[in-house]
């Protein structure tokens, strides 16, 4: 798997967790998502706001989050 493919897989899976939380009406945090998906801590441990709740209130916000994740993981590594 190439690094680009890996980044796509990571962003897609993070989005799926956020989408699931949205559909169930619950909130989560980045740290919870990273731990749930077992993403190695060296990738995310230096990020700020790991415990800040991710709140999605509409389909539009969900789509915006998807775009953010795609760009975030494409540019990160």
């Amino acid at each position: 798997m190439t690094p680009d493919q890996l980044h796509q897989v990571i962003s897609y899976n993070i989005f799926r967790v956020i989408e699931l939380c949205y559909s169930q009406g619950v909130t989560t945090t980045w740290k919870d998502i990273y731990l749930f998906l077992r993403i190695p801590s060296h990738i995310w441990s230096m990020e700020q706001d790991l415990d800040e709740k991710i709140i999605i209130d509409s389909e539009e916000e969900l789509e915006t989050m998807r775009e953010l994740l795609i760009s975030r993981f494409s540019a990160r590594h």
Side-chain angles (χ1 to χ4, degrees), residues 18 21 26-33 48-56 65:
I18 293 171
C21 290
V26 298
T27 59
T28 191
T29 66
W30 291 111
K31 186 175 182 179
D32 289 340
I33 292 171
Q48 298 177 358
D49 303 327
L50 287 170
D51 293 317
E52 184 176 326
K53 290 185 179 186
I54 301 168
I55 301 170
I56 306 292
M65 179 60 75

Side-chain angles (χ1 to χ4, degrees), residues 2 4 6-7 18 20 23-24 33-35 37 39 42 44-45 55 60 62 69 75-76:
T2 68
D4 285 342
L6 179 61
H7 298 150
I18 293 171
L20 178 63
S23 71
Q24 294 181 349
I33 292 171
Y34 295 143
L35 291 172
L37 294 174
I39 296 173
H42 72 273
W44 54 266
S45 63
I55 301 170
E60 292 80 20
L62 189 60
L69 287 167
R76 173 181 266 180

